[in-house]
Amino acid sequence: MQLAAFFSPASLLRVFPALALAFAMGAAHADDYGDVNALLRQGKADEALVKADAYISGKPRDPQMRFLRGVILTEQGKQADAVTAFTQLTQDYPELPEPYNNLAALYAAQGQFDKARAALEMAVKLNPDYATAHENLGDVYVRLAAESYSRAKQLEAGNATVPPKLALIRQMFSAPASGELPPATQAARKPVRK
């Protein structure tokens, strides 16, 4: 099985109507956040990053703009920088579940499912009502199960209990007969983005 086939970096770009970060945002800051979001929605990620960086240079501890910066980096395909941005947010604001969810999406896109699982477990621990993180965690568990069943099949080809389990996972995600999970099946497809 191809690890990256289950997650696509493009899947991390789904837009959500609200960013549920647990802090208040002042009216003066709303325009800055709105401007960065507007640039991002217009496909001007480079400009959005410049504006976000300029804002952060004056307010380096602002978690929402730093979060948006991580989203921008993800959209630009700068996965390592995005991982760094979200990791730093989890360290500076360990009470916020959203950076853990987006960090998990990045880990999953890289095939690092154990790291993705750990990040998602932290997100749901911080916010037990975080539906997106619960769904993503379920998808990561399915991916880990598929890998384990595939390994079991390799180790013991005659084991009759494994093929039906793999078939069920493939059916669940409408996988092609090749045995690989389709690219459209993305466990961490729902990062939070404002």
Side-chain angles (χ1 to χ4, degrees), residues 139-157:
D139 289 342
V140 166
Y141 285 145
V142 169
R143 179 57 178 163
L144 288 168
E147 288 179 353
S148 290
Y149 292 142
S150 292
R151 182 71 177 140
K153 185 177 175 184
Q154 288 174 350
L155 294 170
E156 189 179 346

Side-chain angles (χ1 to χ4, degrees), residues 8-44:
S8 164
S11 72
L12 305 176
L13 308 180
R14 184 171 176 168
V15 178
F16 283 83
L19 177 61
L21 291 175
F23 53 86
M25 171 176 71
H29 301 285
D31 290 340
D32 292 314
Y33 302 131
D35 291 348
V36 170
N37 274 311
L39 289 168
L40 200 51
R41 280 191 301 271
Q42 295 167 10
K44 299 176 181 177

Side-chain angles (χ1 to χ4, degrees), residues 50 52 65 70 127 144:
V50 168
M65 191 61 78
N127 181 357
L144 288 168

Side-chain angles (χ1 to χ4, degrees), residues 24-190:
M25 171 176 71
H29 301 285
D31 290 340
D32 292 314
Y33 302 131
D35 291 348
V36 170
N37 274 311
L39 289 168
L40 200 51
R41 280 191 301 271
Q42 295 167 10
K44 299 176 181 177
D46 292 339
E47 291 176 45
L49 184 60
V50 168
K51 187 159 183 74
D53 284 342
Y55 180 92
I56 291 168
S57 71
K59 296 178 182 80
R61 300 259 322 139
D62 182 291
Q64 186 165 357
M65 191 61 78
R66 289 172 56 193
F67 184 89
L68 288 173
R69 185 177 186 279
V71 172
I72 295 165
L73 292 168
T74 301
E75 290 200 20
Q76 291 180 318
K78 298 176 181 175
Q79 307 307 337
D81 292 337
V83 166
T84 299
F86 289 123
T87 299
Q88 191 61 52
L89 272 172
T90 65
Q91 293 168 354
D92 294 345
Y93 300 95
E95 71 278 8
L96 298 176
E98 292 82 5
Y100 287 101
N101 182 71
N102 283 49
L103 188 57
L106 291 163
Y107 286 145
Q110 297 169 1
Q112 298 181 46
F113 299 108
D114 286 328
K115 285 184 175 183
R117 178 193 45 77
L120 288 165
E121 286 175 350
M122 181 58 76
V124 298
K125 179 180 177 184
L126 291 169
N127 181 357
D129 297 327
Y130 191 180
T132 297
H134 278 285
E135 180 181 357
N136 290 341
L137 182 58
D139 289 342
V140 166
Y141 285 145
V142 169
R143 179 57 178 163
L144 288 168
E147 288 179 353
S148 290
Y149 292 142
S150 292
R151 182 71 177 140
K153 185 177 175 184
Q154 288 174 350
L155 294 170
E156 189 179 346
N159 184 336
T161 63
V162 173
K165 293 173 185 178
L166 278 170
L168 182 60
I169 290 173
R170 288 185 194 115
Q171 179 184 2
M172 185 183 335
F173 292 110
S174 302
S178 68
E180 291 186 6
L181 295 174
T185 305
Q186 295 131 13
R189 67 181 171 273
K190 293 186 179 181

